[in-house]
């Protein structure tokens, strides 16, 4: 009697492996596992199921998948790599999760739920040949797919000798057609070819102070911030925030390295010299890909012409960039700068001091803003920043009477609003102030105005994500918060807190835990959120550990009192948060 041999069949085999798994696990084991699990749940497993694949086996850092169709296998791999590249945009390169993927069409041996044989071995060798974020396929796969997939191309890299395979393997790299126009330097850099925004993008480096007077550093820094603010008003231009570019202040930098760091197409650099009532500003716009000057100009004017200089400069820049951004939409006439240059300089210096987030600098910023308003009581932007600086004092508790401080913030902003309805900072802070009293409609109105006036302002953009989360639209909120992180790669840690809350409300608990874990000095509220998050993930051990941290920092913590400080519009969001806190074991 003949004994039947093992079952054999032709199959498309996909082998995937995570790049740098051991290094990432050594640096952050918990966070890496949480992020990898999230990617599996939200992206990888659904892509496999959608393309009719079957997961054969998984390891800590890889998987083997079988498809009946090579087209399905390649489509699935391309989707995973494209979407993973987009997910890495808002993550520092050291923490990127990337995969190598190999696909082969060959004969496999089937044994219960597993497959073996040459078809599997070749797929594994192809995976090892792939670039991080890339895909390699065998000649058989290339021949079967042909031209049936419009959005990918194949690059023939010739016959390759691989380990434990006697014959050479003809190998092709998959290239995404959407990346065809991306500069090759950036395409090499961690798969950003599929992630760089289609908008023209620019980073403005701090203007060098050429006055020889250290006191003029404030003026140079403030003028740089004003230029960034003016450029940020253009919707069709992505502008990196001042917090990020100022890390290069005082350093000798290479334009192309700066461009790669921020993922931008253009870099603006220059200098400023102020003497008496004269000012000289020299600027040059550089194409990051070619390192060539696109445009340069020197302005030698009276200080009173500073706003005209800003207008001319920003209009020249946006008219020069690809896409021909409509400079005509830039209308300073709708906003009301001051005619008093001393008041303007006071505000510039106050802004720089405010950004330091130090109590003494906050007090000095208030003094300077009071001086600006004494010089020009109708200077709307000074009133707006007085409200912002007072709001910082209230947030950090640098005041004896918090209620009085908050009332003073409201007064300054109402005055600013009456003087100038076109200042984005006024509407940004009024939106935040409205949330403190749970007036969601008023907050939404001012937030919409702030976003319309300055769509690239990272603080406005992140606040849009925060507000959408409070309104019960966390999925949209996540997108806005990640955009703010793109605008400001050196963003404050509170951006992670906003992202964690949004992910929690979207019931993406693994992503929420990962976001909150990025906060280096968490307070009791962060630990409370982590306790609720892990409770929803049914991780009682981790939840209990964070409960202990909450009570150590805030022994009188109460769920009811804490929830009263939260601004959820929907009961379902408040109840989800409450349930998590109580499940974790925090006192009601």
């Amino acid at each position: 009697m003949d004994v039947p041999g093992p079952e054999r069949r032709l199959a498309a085999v996909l082998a995937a492996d995570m790049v740098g798994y051991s290094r990432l696990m050594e640096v952050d084991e918990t966070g890496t596992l949480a992020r990898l699990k999230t990617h599996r749940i939200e992206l990888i497993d659904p892509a496999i199921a959608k393309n009719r694949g079957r997961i054969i086996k998984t390891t800590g850092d890889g998987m083997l998948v079988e498809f009946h169709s090579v087209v399905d296998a390649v489509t699935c791999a391309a989707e995973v790599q494209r979407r993973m590249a987009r997910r890495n945009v808002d993550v520092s390169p050291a923490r990127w999760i990337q995969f190598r993927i190999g696909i082969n069409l060959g004969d496999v041996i089937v044994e219960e739920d597993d497959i073996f044989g040459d078809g599997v071995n070749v797929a594994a060798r192809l995976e090892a040949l792939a670039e991080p974020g890339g895909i390699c396929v065998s000649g058989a796969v290339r021949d079967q797919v042909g031209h049936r997939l419009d959005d990918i191309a194949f690059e023939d890299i010739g016959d390759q000798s691989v380990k434990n395979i006697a014959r050479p393997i003809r190998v092709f790299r998959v290239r995404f057609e959407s990346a065809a126009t991306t500069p090759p330097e950036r395409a090499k850099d961690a798969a950003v070819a599929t992630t760089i925004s289609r908008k023209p993008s620019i980073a403005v480096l701090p203007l060098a102070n050429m006055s020889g007077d250290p006191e003029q550093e404030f003026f140079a820094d403030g003028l740089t911030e004003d230029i960034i603010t003016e450029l940020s008003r253009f919707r069709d231009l992505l502008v990196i925030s001042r917090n990020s570019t100022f890390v290069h202040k005082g350093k000798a930098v290479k334009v192309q390295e700066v461009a790669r760091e921020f993922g931008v197409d253009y870099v603006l650099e220059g200098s400023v010299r102020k003497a008496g009532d004269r000012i000289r500003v020299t600027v040059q716009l550089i194409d990051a890909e070619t390192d060539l000057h696109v445009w340069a100009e020197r302005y030698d004017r009276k200080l009173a012409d500073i706003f005209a200089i800003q207008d001319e400069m920003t209009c020249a820049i946006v008219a020069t960039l690809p896409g021909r951004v409509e400079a005509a939409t830039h209308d300073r006439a709708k906003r009301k700068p001051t005619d008093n240059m001393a008041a303007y300089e006071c505000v510039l210096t106050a802004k720089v001091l405010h950004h330091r987030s130090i109590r003494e600098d906050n007090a000095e910023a208030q003094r300077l803003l009071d001086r600006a308003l004494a010089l020009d009581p109708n200077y709307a932007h000074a009133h707006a920043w007085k409200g912002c600086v007072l709001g910082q004092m209230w947030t950090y508790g640098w005041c004896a009477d918090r209620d009085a401080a908050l009332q003073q913030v409201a007064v300054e902003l109402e005055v600013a609003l009456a003087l100038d309805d076109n200042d984005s900072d006024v509407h940004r802070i009024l939106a935040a102030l409205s949330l403190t009293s749970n007036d969601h409609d008023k907050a939404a109105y001012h937030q919409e105005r702030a976003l319309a006036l300055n769509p690239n302002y990272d603080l406005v953009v992140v606040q849009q994500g925060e507000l959408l989360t409070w309104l019960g639209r966390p999925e949209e909120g996540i997108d806005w918060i990640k955009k703010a992180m793109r605008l400001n790669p050196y963003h404050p840690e509170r951006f992670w807190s906003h992202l964690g809350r949004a992910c929690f409300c979207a019931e993406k608990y693994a992503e929420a835990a990962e976001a909150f874990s990025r906060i280096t000095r968490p307070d009791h509220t962060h630990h409370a959120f982590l306790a609720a998050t892990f409770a929803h993930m049914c991780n009682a051990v981790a939840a209990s550990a964070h409960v202990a941290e909450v009570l150590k920092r805030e022994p009188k913590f109460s769920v009811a009192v804490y929830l009263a400080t939260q601004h959820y519009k929907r009961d379902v969001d408040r109840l989800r948060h409450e349930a998590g806190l109580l499940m974790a074991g925090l006192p009601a």
Side-chain angles (χ1 to χ4, degrees), residues 257-286:
E257 291 179 1
V258 170
R260 275 195 294 271
E261 177 183 350
F262 297 124
V264 296
D265 306 308
Y266 298 90
V267 174
L268 185 77
E269 63 178 7
S271 63
V272 58
R273 182 191 300 273
K274 176 177 170 288
D277 67 344
R278 302 291 300 182
I279 184 172
R280 173 179 291 174
V281 181
T282 303
V283 286
Q284 49 194 9
L285 182 67
I286 301 169

Side-chain angles (χ1 to χ4, degrees), residues 227-246:
I227 293 168
I228 292 172
T229 299
E230 293 306 306
L231 286 172
S232 296
R233 299 184 193 281
F234 295 92
R235 286 189 172 275
D236 294 325
L237 182 63
L238 189 149
V239 186
I240 299 298
S241 83
R242 59 91 58 201
N243 290 355
S244 294
T245 57
F246 267 65

Side-chain angles (χ1 to χ4, degrees), residues 112-367:
E112 296 182 350
D113 292 329
D114 209 345
I115 58 175
F116 305 90
D118 187 69
V120 175
N121 296 337
V122 171
R125 300 295 173 248
L126 290 166
E127 171 265 302
L129 293 172
E131 301 167 332
I135 306 165
C136 277
V137 304
S138 64
V141 171
R142 166 67 183 88
D143 292 342
Q144 287 291 318
V145 172
H147 299 288
R148 284 186 280 176
L149 298 176
D150 296 332
D151 56 349
I152 67 168
F154 294 96
E155 175 191 349
D156 188 349
I157 61 173
D159 291 337
Q160 303 289 323
S161 296
V162 296
K163 183 179 178 182
N164 295 334
I165 305 289
R167 68 189 187 283
I169 305 297
R170 191 58 171 266
V171 180
F172 293 79
R173 284 199 182 104
V174 172
R175 294 301 186 200
F176 305 123
E177 290 288 281
S178 59
T181 59
T182 303
E185 289 84 355
R186 270 172 261 163
K188 289 190 299 184
D189 197 5
V192 294
T194 58
T195 65
I196 288 181
S197 169
R198 291 181 179 275
K199 292 182 179 181
S201 51
I202 186 171
V204 180
L205 292 176
L207 296 176
N209 171 26
M210 304 299 289
S211 303
D213 179 3
E215 290 297 316
Q216 296 301 328
E217 289 293 330
F218 286 114
F219 185 85
D221 291 351
L223 182 57
T224 305
E225 182 170 348
D226 263 13
I227 293 168
I228 292 172
T229 299
E230 293 306 306
L231 286 172
S232 296
R233 299 184 193 281
F234 295 92
R235 286 189 172 275
D236 294 325
L237 182 63
L238 189 149
V239 186
I240 299 298
S241 83
R242 59 91 58 201
N243 290 355
S244 294
T245 57
F246 267 65
V247 301
H248 294 293
K249 180 176 169 59
K251 300 177 183 176
V253 297
K254 293 183 179 179
V255 166
Q256 288 180 311
E257 291 179 1
V258 170
R260 275 195 294 271
E261 177 183 350
F262 297 124
V264 296
D265 306 308
Y266 298 90
V267 174
L268 185 77
E269 63 178 7
S271 63
V272 58
R273 182 191 300 273
K274 176 177 170 288
D277 67 344
R278 302 291 300 182
I279 184 172
R280 173 179 291 174
V281 181
T282 303
V283 286
Q284 49 194 9
L285 182 67
I286 301 169
D287 185 321
E289 179 187 350
T290 62
D291 202 23
L292 296 176
H293 289 70
V294 176
W295 166 82
E297 188 61 83
R298 187 178 79 176
Y299 303 92
D300 198 345
R301 308 273 186 85
K302 288 186 176 181
L303 182 60
D305 293 333
I306 188 66
F307 300 120
I309 292 173
Q310 289 177 20
D311 279 350
E312 290 176 31
M313 189 185 308
T314 53
C315 288
I317 291 168
V318 297
T320 302
L321 299 184
R324 311 299 293 179
V325 181
E326 285 295 329
T329 62
H330 181 66
D331 184 6
R332 180 180 289 275
K334 293 181 179 178
R335 300 188 304 281
K336 299 175 177 64
T338 182
D339 293 325
N340 191 303
M341 288 298 104
Y344 174 69
E345 290 187 58
C346 285
V347 173
L348 289 187
T349 304
K351 286 183 184 182
V352 176
L353 291 168
H354 163 81
H355 293 313
R356 294 177 179 175
S357 298
I358 298 172
R359 184 169 189 164
E360 292 74 19
D361 288 332
N362 177 279
E364 178 63 12
Q366 289 185 52
R367 188 190 68 77

